[in-house]
Amino acid sequence: MAATINISSDFSEQASINSTKPVTIKSLSESGLTSIPSSFASKTLQDLPVLDSSEDAIPILDFSLLSSSNSKQRQKAIQDLGQACEEWGCFLLINHGIPESLINSMMEGLKGFFDLSDEEKREFQGKNIFDPIRCGSSFNTAAEKVHCWRDFFKAFVHPDFHFPHKPAGFSDTAFEYVKRIREITRELLKGVSESLGLEPNYISKAMGMESSFQVFIANFYPPCPEPELAVGIPPHSDQGLLTLFSENGINGLQTLHNGNWVKLNPPPNALMVNTADLLEILSNGKYKSNVHRAVLYSNATRITMATTNGPSFDQVIISPAAELVNETHPPAYTSCTYRQFYELYQSNSLDMKSALDRLRILA
């Protein structure tokens, strides 16, 4: 393997290969490397069996049935939603109403952004985790032992909308996309509430979703000379309540289920939905946040976009719903605000449920 290099989780620190210029993973990939630097070598890729989706099928839910006028259809859809959240922590969502053309436009915009020069992208580097627009590489180089073969940008898109102004017109497309994602999330959370035996608007009201904190995250995984040794993103769960995810047709997401990694093979235009850490807290552990990872290719560039949808950032306290707590099921997690959890999450390395684990109340 090549010599170790230093990569910054944003572009504010120096990272170089025989140079003093900052290095993105895209630039690293295009530099002609035939092996990965040692700081990218992961020892966890072959830890568990990997199954094809035909061997262990991720649930597929029809979004249109959640608003069906047929009460039996709707109740069945809510039951299926609850079962997916409890048994998998994720599902594929079809008939969600977002035009394929809008998703394709988003992917074109993302390609345009990551094709900007490193100097142009540096305009959006950000300086700390609370900057509303931030781009960089890996995840948190100060805390992680192995770097991710990944460039990213993150933008806070609700309650206030922030987004890069390059490439031209991309911000307008993104504004429409994340608005559609919020609408879908609201309906899904109604179904989640009912599946937990709560009234439909329970989560929306308790979590202050009118001022929900929504983060858009784009990931760029360029070709890797040794994809069997490196990792795009290591196993982790998501922050927030629900994460809605899409990719550019190059499959690389794997979800952990019953001790196996299961490959994601979504139908055309489907969205992947993950239950996230704050939903696990709210449900008092009934619905588990989904652990997943991203794998790499030697001959393909993978682009993904994930939108995390969470409670109001400062105005509500996240804790197990009182209706789900009793003598048999005491509170399993300590309370926090989303701001507190976001800071905890971003300050850790990505390692399974490392942030959530720090809030567990041990029996």
Side-chain angles (χ1 to χ4, degrees), residues 264-281:
L264 176 70
N265 185 23
N269 204 41
L271 296 173
M272 176 74 168
V273 181
N274 288 329
T275 59
D277 288 343
L278 298 187
L279 186 58
E280 180 167 336
I281 293 175

Side-chain angles (χ1 to χ4, degrees), residues 121-163:
K121 287 197 285 281
R122 205 166 297 125
E123 175 184 351
F124 309 106
Q125 68 183 29
K127 298 187 183 302
N128 65 68
I129 62 171
F130 293 114
D131 284 336
I133 299 175
R134 186 163 61 98
C135 68
S137 298
S138 199
F139 179 75
N140 180 359
T141 56
E144 64 199 18
K145 295 179 180 179
V146 177
H147 297 325
C148 308
W149 193 266
R150 165 221 189 205
D151 292 329
F152 71 85
F153 85 76
K154 301 179 182 181
F156 298 170
V157 292
H158 193 263
D160 298 315
F161 180 78
H162 305 271
F163 214 78

Side-chain angles (χ1 to χ4, degrees), residues 11 30 69 73 101 110 132 138 181 199 288 295 301 311 323 341:
F11 298 140
E30 294 171 349
S69 59
Q73 282 189 337
S101 59
L110 292 177
S138 199
I181 292 292
E199 61 97 6
K288 306 297 186 183
V295 298
T301 294
E323 292 82 350
F341 189 81

Side-chain angles (χ1 to χ4, degrees), residues 139-343:
F139 179 75
N140 180 359
T141 56
E144 64 199 18
K145 295 179 180 179
V146 177
H147 297 325
C148 308
W149 193 266
R150 165 221 189 205
D151 292 329
F152 71 85
F153 85 76
K154 301 179 182 181
F156 298 170
V157 292
H158 193 263
D160 298 315
F161 180 78
H162 305 271
F163 214 78
H165 60 83
K166 297 177 182 178
F170 185 29
S171 178
D172 292 337
T173 303
F175 183 86
E176 176 64 21
Y177 175 78
V178 297
K179 182 181 74 171
R180 296 287 194 103
I181 292 292
R182 284 196 302 277
E183 292 168 353
I184 293 171
T185 300
R186 278 197 296 269
E187 289 303 313
L188 287 175
L189 289 177
K190 287 181 182 178
V192 170
S193 290
E194 291 187 74
S195 72
L196 288 168
L198 306 170
E199 61 97 6
N201 290 316
Y202 180 93
I203 294 178
S204 180
K205 292 177 180 177
M207 295 292 100
M209 296 304 290
E210 287 301 317
S211 58
S212 65
F213 183 59
Q214 186 185 39
V215 184
F216 178 86
I217 305 164
N219 301 300
F220 184 89
Y221 306 101
C224 177
E226 294 179 293
E228 71 282 1
L229 299 179
V231 63
I233 287 187
H236 69 283
S237 57
D238 292 337
Q239 62 197 25
L241 295 165
L242 293 175
T243 300
L244 278 68
F245 169 93
S246 185
E247 57 190 6
N248 66 335
I250 307 296
N251 300 335
L253 188 67
Q254 297 179 354
T255 187
L256 188 61
H257 185 241
N258 291 338
N260 300 306
W261 290 109
V262 181
K263 296 179 182 179
L264 176 70
N265 185 23
N269 204 41
L271 296 173
M272 176 74 168
V273 181
N274 288 329
T275 59
D277 288 343
L278 298 187
L279 186 58
E280 180 167 336
I281 293 175
L282 182 67
S283 70
N284 202 29
K286 181 177 176 63
Y287 294 166
K288 306 297 186 183
S289 57
N290 168 257
V291 173
H292 50 284
R293 69 180 184 182
V295 298
L296 301 164
Y297 295 90
S298 62
N299 58 356
T301 294
R302 184 166 173 263
I303 301 175
T304 70
M305 54 184 180
T307 310
T308 64
N309 303 272
S312 173
F313 208 37
D314 294 298
Q315 296 175 8
V316 300
I317 301 296
I318 299 110
S319 61
E323 292 82 350
L324 303 177
V325 173
N326 52 45
E327 291 185 4
T328 307
H329 300 95
Y333 309 88
T334 58
S335 302
C336 65
T337 66
Y338 194 1
R339 178 183 292 275
Q340 291 169 328
F341 189 81
Y342 185 84
E343 185 169 15

